[in-house]
Amino acid sequence: MKTLITIIMLIVSCAVQAQIVTSRNAKLSFFSEAPIENISAESNTGVSALDLSTKSVYFKVSMRSFLFKKSLMQEHFNENYMESDKYPYAEFNGKINEPIDLTKEGIYPVTVQGDLNIHGVTKNYNVKAELKVRGGEITANSTFPVKLADHGIKIPRLVIKNIAEIVQVTVAAQYKAESKEAAQSYSSPKKK
Amino acid sequence: MRTFPLLILFVFVCSLSLMAQNDLSKMFDEPVQAKEHIPVTATFKSPQIINGQSNETMHKHDLLFVVMHRFGDIAGSYGGMQTFYGLDNSSDILIGFDYGISDRWSFGIGRTKGAPNGTNTSQKQLFYLKTKYRLLRQSIDNSIPFSVTLFGNSVTSGMDRLNLITSDADFQKFSDRMSSVTQVIIARKFNDNFSLALLPTYVRRNYVSYMDMNNLYGLGIGGRLKVTHRMTVVADYFLSFRSQESKDYFLQQSGFRFYNPLGIGLEMETGGHVFNFIFTNSTAILENQFIPSTSSTWTKGGFRWGFSISRTFTLSKKSGS
């Protein structure tokens, strides 16, 4: 009997684990409109995970993976503003507020509350997002403003006309169910 | 009894799945960090430290327009109030362009006034071509601990032939007008605030005055120290390995002494513009002149104010992705 219960529990716990879907090529971009020139950059190498049972959401992106139109801008972004050597990643850890069932097809406008860490400074956000479940695939989209000053990113007075103080951030992720191997690999992280 | 290992397994799996639920970040620890050796950027902020080159080249399809200026002596017999501390004079002026063929390889072209010092160097009106290639780039994970950049230039004097047999401007043939510099720039960014460069240099001058040296070696050292977010202190110093024989000759013949050029300055960056504000005892801007024949010294007021202004233009039209 005990064995049976254990086995059932094991299956249940495995099932819980399988409810995590991930994306390894989440698209993150930002746009800032300023009097002199608009600045935009994009990264296609963000990672994200969505836990269907707990409705937890996670995003992570390497700052150096953002590509700009101008190489010099990219260098300034990493060097002067984001200090990417010191703070290589931006991370978001949050939870969907609404009680929704992501196993059913449909479009769900939701709000997500969580902590966004950029430039080593964490701030709590409550952002609007849209989740789409179709054909067993989940996609997530969200656009929200980030105020640079909130994350300790300073703009010198000299270039204040070149850079907007509030930047529109857009995230888009398409989720896949984690494969068994992948699920195992993060349970026991390998060191390279 | 058979249940016991199973129970352990259960607890183990449970704790793992719990961990996975509470902290989704754990899922990406490895794949994100396993990313390759990213090169260090901005060891220096511009292709030039002060007098010496830095390891930096232009980004691909970026064009740099640069103006460099060295005024006259601040103090000493040529300075002081009568020349408004050197501002009335200019010892050397450079106007040039640098262009990035790739992110590793750049070319430059320009002209300098040239800074003749009478006894040893008389060549003026210099046109230069230069090239710089990044051989190695220091990586963030230190798998490559330093950057190595190769630098070379070729300089031609466009001045009228000086009919003075003792000078190096008494050109007999075209190649007499030419000189070149070959340099290896070894640089390391120790942290966000501090970078250092070593510059072993070979200067070849095809035609020199009597007892001067056609082939001369030098060693430069340069550094950058960040003081505020936008402002850095830069400095460089060059040792020139001139033979004692040659030094003695010039000292005895014309009381002419050689000094090692030292430059100290402030560098300000305002996105696209780099401005540097310096003091140096070197009168010339090109390596071909200041390594062999810097003849003024800080201690006798033979130093000057200088500045360089550069502006980068992005010519590429690549899209954001």
Side-chain angles (χ1 to χ4, degrees), chain A residues 28-32 37-44 62-82 84 148 162-163 167, chain B residues 59-60 62 103 314 316-321:
Chain A
L28 289 99
S29 58
F30 61 83
F31 177 78
S32 107
E37 60 187 331
N38 294 339
I39 297 166
S40 63
E42 199 176 276
S43 167
N44 290 314
S62 159
M63 300 319 294
R64 288 203 180 268
S65 72
F66 279 101
L67 297 174
F68 287 68
K69 279 199 182 87
K70 294 184 175 182
S71 321
L72 196 63
M73 253 185 202
Q74 192 167 324
E75 187 180 311
H76 290 157
F77 169 79
N78 287 309
E79 209 58 44
N80 301 343
Y81 298 101
M82 305 311 304
S84 302
L148 298 183
N162 300 7
I163 296 160
V167 174
Chain B
H59 290 289
K60 191 178 179 179
D62 274 6
D103 282 337
T314 300
S316 81
K317 283 178 185 154
K318 69 170 176 180
S319 66
S321 56

Side-chain angles (χ1 to χ4, degrees), chain A residues 3 9 13 16 22 24 48 51 54 58 64 67 69 71 75-76 79-81 85 89 156 158 186 190, chain B residues 3 10 13 21 25 27-28 30-33 38 41 45 59 140 189 229-230 269-272 318 320:
Chain A
T3 322
M9 300 275 281
S13 72
V16 165
T22 60
R24 280 170 201 280
S48 178
D51 188 326
T54 62
Y58 176 74
R64 288 203 180 268
L67 297 174
K69 279 199 182 87
S71 321
E75 187 180 311
H76 290 157
E79 209 58 44
N80 301 343
Y81 298 101
D85 286 350
Y89 303 107
L158 268 168
Y186 68 74
K190 279 171 276 177
Chain B
T3 55
F10 164 68
V13 170
Q21 281 173 57
S25 66
M27 297 181 66
F28 300 109
E30 199 197 352
V32 177
Q33 282 168 5
I38 304 165
T41 54
K45 282 287 179 184
H59 290 289
I140 285 171
K189 188 176 187 177
H229 214 52
R230 290 293 176 147
E269 197 207 3
T270 64
K318 69 170 176 180

Side-chain angles (χ1 to χ4, degrees), chain A residues 77-114:
Chain A
F77 169 79
N78 287 309
E79 209 58 44
N80 301 343
Y81 298 101
M82 305 311 304
E83 300 175 83
S84 302
D85 286 350
K86 245 188 262 171
Y87 313 107
Y89 303 107
E91 273 184 293
F92 178 79
N93 230 322
K95 222 165 202 177
I96 298 166
N97 295 324
E98 289 78 8
I100 50 161
D101 185 0
L102 287 172
T103 56
K104 283 184 195 149
E105 293 218 344
I107 295 169
Y108 305 98
V110 294
T111 56
V112 181
Q113 174 129 31

Side-chain angles (χ1 to χ4, degrees), chain A residues 11-22 50-53 176-180 183 186, chain B residues 17 20-21:
Chain A
I11 290 163
V12 167
S13 72
C14 279
V16 165
Q17 209 169 40
Q19 279 191 306
I20 296 171
V21 290
T22 60
L50 177 61
D51 188 326
L52 303 186
S53 56
K176 281 185 206 134
E178 270 291 287
S179 64
K180 277 238 169 82
Y186 68 74
Chain B
S17 67
Q21 281 173 57

